[in-house]
Amino acid sequence: MAHHEFRMPVSEAQVRALRVNDTVTLNGTLFGIRDATQIHLFDRGRTTRFDLRGHAVIHTAPNVRPVPPSAAHPAGYAPLCVGTTTSDRMERFTRPLLQRHGVRLIIGKGGLREDSLAAFGELGGAYLAIIGGTAALETTWVEAIEDVDLDDLNPESLWKFRVRGFGPLLVGMDSHGASLFAQVRHDAQERRAAALASLGVKT
Amino acid sequence: MKIDPAQIESVARELYVRALKRLPPDVKRGIDALAARETDAGAQRMLGTMIANIRVAEETDNLLCQDTGLPIYNVTIGRGVEVDGVALKQAIRRGCERATREHPFRSSVVHPLTRVNEHSSCGRGVPVIGIDFSEADEGLVIEMIPKGSGSENNSFLRMAIPAEGVDAVKRFVVDCVLEAGGKTCPPTIVGVGIGGTADLCMHLAKVAATRALGTRCDDPEGAKLEAELSRAVNVLGVGPQGLGGDATSFAVHVETAATHITMNPVAVNMQCHSARRARATLRAGGVDYAD
């Protein structure tokens, strides 16, 4: 259960060194993406001017305040509340994110499924679990919104955040085939019979 | 007592902001209680982070969660209250939109087919406005619930049949909690609707999921089931965020309604750990925001 301090972007070797139950803290660039962002990138042929290679993406659509662009707010947005959404809806986008855009880390809540786990193994990636619903705390780790692309999809734009001490995040899925979420799901399924028996229900 | 729509508009605005920033006291106590009896070290840390987040939100006057939700306003009109119903609904809508634009915060509301966001937290049929009446002569109560999508996306209805009995209800609740896993941001409040028509059944589940912790179903049969199911779902070990632990749910809440002789419907709607709610009571003397 090692702790890793990452300055983004990172190499494949750094990501392959991660194991479930390790913790990671990010510094530097972090990209924000969500359902609409990825529907437009992967289903509607849109492109981004951002280079995501070696980077981390977080499943988010932040609360922002439009402000005049300045050194503190280069993109014209002040971050108000930046949190994390449920990853499961975006399962089918993991592979193209890694394959076509070279993304190395996905940050989200609730975990991803089998194909994402396979993609992490084949292409060198990992899933970092954040605690959903703790956005006030998470926002204190965000220094600025440096840039934004696909902003017609606001709030589901492609956001470029500058973060400091973003974490610790828990490695929930690694490139060695381990997933804490799959393990817990499996164990919970095993306890189903006990739960039903306590209710006097036959399985 | 006559209610001025302008006052309703300002209360509707204020309630949305309050709900997003401060958790009701029963939910705060609920998280503390789960943390106190959690036996898994990882789950213990996660619950600690959730408690820290509540403090940071208060200290920085920030939103608890980025999800501003689908806005729900439940209005309860007491005896002796005079209000223009159409004006009341319009005022709530205006207050909801003003909160979104003036604070500002993210509008999470889009048209279901075009996916266009008006950036007002309003749209066709949204905010959801429920209106009910109360025997108590206590004025007009407005409760605001920003319903997050992580939990709302895990809503389930099963039109079971009488031959399946209560066992079908119990089995369904356990399986829904398993199916939801970490997607609902557990620990959750599991709302269960039993009986009614299909739509009433789901509505009951929502009422149950958004009821204050510590309250009981006022149907004794429902209350009995609440206690049994609350124990059973916490045997599963889904834990906070679906990463394992004792704290899968704060509680299972049940609401019941009579149903048809041929029917045995059960619905599940969940509320995440950030179980946000805010309430205002409008009386002749002014507005009281105490929960």
Side-chain angles (χ1 to χ4, degrees):
Chain A
M1 293 204 280
H3 179 69
H4 309 256
E5 288 279 334
F6 281 174
R7 176 149 290 280
M8 305 309 294
V10 288
S11 67
E12 180 174 350
Q14 281 175 288
V15 171
R16 289 215 180 261
L18 299 176
R19 299 279 178 166
V20 290
N21 285 315
D22 283 359
T23 51
V24 177
T25 298
L26 303 185
N27 292 283
T29 299
L30 170 64
F31 290 98
I33 55 164
R34 200 168 162 124
D35 308 61
T37 334
Q38 297 180 88
I39 290 166
H40 282 252
L41 280 177
F42 300 121
D43 296 349
R44 302 196 185 168
R46 301 209 28 204
T47 54
T48 174
R49 57 188 167 80
F50 293 157
D51 181 0
L52 306 181
R53 281 174 297 177
H55 279 286
V57 296
I58 182 166
H59 290 149
T60 188
N63 290 262
V64 297
R65 183 196 302 277
V67 292
S70 64
H73 306 300
Y77 287 114
L80 291 185
C81 184
V82 184
T84 311
T85 193
T86 309
S87 300
D88 185 78
R89 299 190 308 273
M90 292 167 272
E91 163 69 16
R92 73 181 170 93
F93 302 124
T94 301
R95 190 173 281 276
L97 269 178
L98 271 61
Q99 220 155 28
R100 295 193 218 162
H101 292 275
V103 166
R104 289 282 175 210
L105 296 167
I106 295 180
I107 303 171
K109 72 172 175 88
L112 288 162
R113 291 185 239 162
E114 293 76 11
D115 188 57
S116 293
L117 191 60
F120 292 145
E122 290 163 36
L123 301 159
Y127 181 85
L128 307 179
I130 202 161
I131 299 175
T134 60
L137 182 64
E138 212 172 311
T139 305
T140 64
W141 306 334
V142 177
E143 288 190 320
I145 296 172
E146 282 197 328
D147 204 348
V148 60
D149 196 11
L150 306 176
D151 202 26
D152 56 303
L153 304 176
N154 191 303
E156 298 181 75
S157 320
L158 180 45
W159 301 93
K160 186 182 182 188
F161 302 107
R162 188 175 69 239
V163 300
R164 188 168 63 179
F166 199 94
L169 311 171
L170 181 70
V171 179
M173 299 166 74
D174 65 23
S175 63
H176 310 280
S179 165
L180 296 178
F181 298 96
Q183 186 62 49
V184 170
R185 261 198 308 274
H186 174 265
D187 294 349
Q189 201 63 43
E190 302 254 287
R191 295 195 189 100
R192 178 177 182 269
L196 291 177
S198 79
L199 293 163
V201 179
K202 288 198 200 99
T203 40
Chain B
M1 171 196 175
K2 230 182 163 84
I3 307 263
D4 176 7
Q7 191 183 26
I8 292 186
E9 177 180 328
S10 85
V11 168
R13 179 194 181 284
E14 176 68 17
L15 280 175
Y16 201 168
V17 176
R18 279 178 185 251
L20 291 174
K21 292 185 172 179
R22 300 284 166 107
L23 276 186
D26 58 286
V27 180
K28 286 204 229 181
R29 283 194 301 271
I31 298 188
D32 289 343
L34 289 179
R37 60 172 186 262
E38 179 61 59
T39 59
D40 180 281
Q44 183 73 254
R45 273 194 300 277
M46 279 185 273
L47 293 165
T49 303
M50 291 170 190
I51 292 166
N53 183 67
I54 297 167
R55 195 182 60 239
V56 172
E58 288 177 3
E59 284 168 3
T60 58
D61 191 34
N62 203 352
L63 316 185
L64 289 148
C65 175
Q66 77 164 355
D67 189 357
T68 50
L70 273 173
I72 302 173
Y73 288 88
N74 292 322
V75 182
T76 309
I77 300 170
R79 282 187 185 274
V81 172
E82 274 180 60
V83 63
D84 173 343
V86 175
L88 169 92
K89 289 175 83 167
Q90 289 169 342
I92 288 175
R93 203 178 166 87
R94 280 197 304 274
C96 178
E97 172 163 4
R98 277 184 53 204
T100 309
R101 294 194 196 278
E102 291 171 13
H103 181 276
F105 52 72
R106 184 185 93 185
S107 166
S108 307
V109 177
V110 293
H111 185 278
L113 297 172
T114 66
R115 311 303 292 182
V116 169
N117 188 330
E118 304 289 344
H119 298 284
S120 62
S121 299
C122 298
R124 288 174 66 86
V126 173
V128 178
I129 301 174
I131 295 182
D132 203 353
F133 304 92
S134 159
E135 286 278 336
D137 188 17
E138 57 174 20
L140 183 140
V141 179
I142 305 179
E143 179 189 55
M144 198 282 154
I145 298 161
K147 187 62 170 64
S149 69
S151 54
E152 191 70 8
N153 267 336
N154 291 272
S155 301
F156 310 89
L157 172 71
R158 179 156 188 264
M159 302 307 286
I161 54 172
E164 293 176 288
V166 183
D167 281 8
V169 171
K170 294 176 176 176
R171 193 179 291 119
F172 187 68
V173 173
V174 168
D175 286 342
C176 287
V177 172
L178 281 173
E179 163 64 27
K183 292 182 285 179
T184 44
C185 248
T188 54
I189 303 170
V190 180
V192 181
I194 303 171
T197 53
D199 57 330
L200 175 56
C201 191
M202 186 46 87
H203 177 71
L204 293 171
K206 168 64 55 58
V207 170
T210 55
R211 230 172 58 201
L213 287 173
T215 58
R216 308 272 310 266
C217 177
D218 63 12
D219 172 354
E221 291 300 320
K224 209 167 75 189
L225 209 51
E226 280 180 340
E228 282 182 50
L229 286 169
S230 295
R231 280 192 299 273
V233 298
N234 283 320
V235 166
L236 296 171
V238 172
Q241 300 292 303
L243 282 163
D246 306 319
T248 300
S249 291
F250 293 101
V252 178
H253 287 173
V254 170
E255 289 290 325
T256 63
T259 193
H260 192 279
I261 47 174
T262 64
M263 289 166 57
N264 186 19
V266 51
V268 169
N269 181 258
M270 298 194 201
Q271 179 61 296
C272 60
H273 70 82
S274 200
R276 298 162 295 170
R277 266 189 356 250
R279 170 194 287 257
T281 306
L282 286 74
R283 295 194 187 87
V287 184
D288 177 7
Y289 284 99
D291 192 67

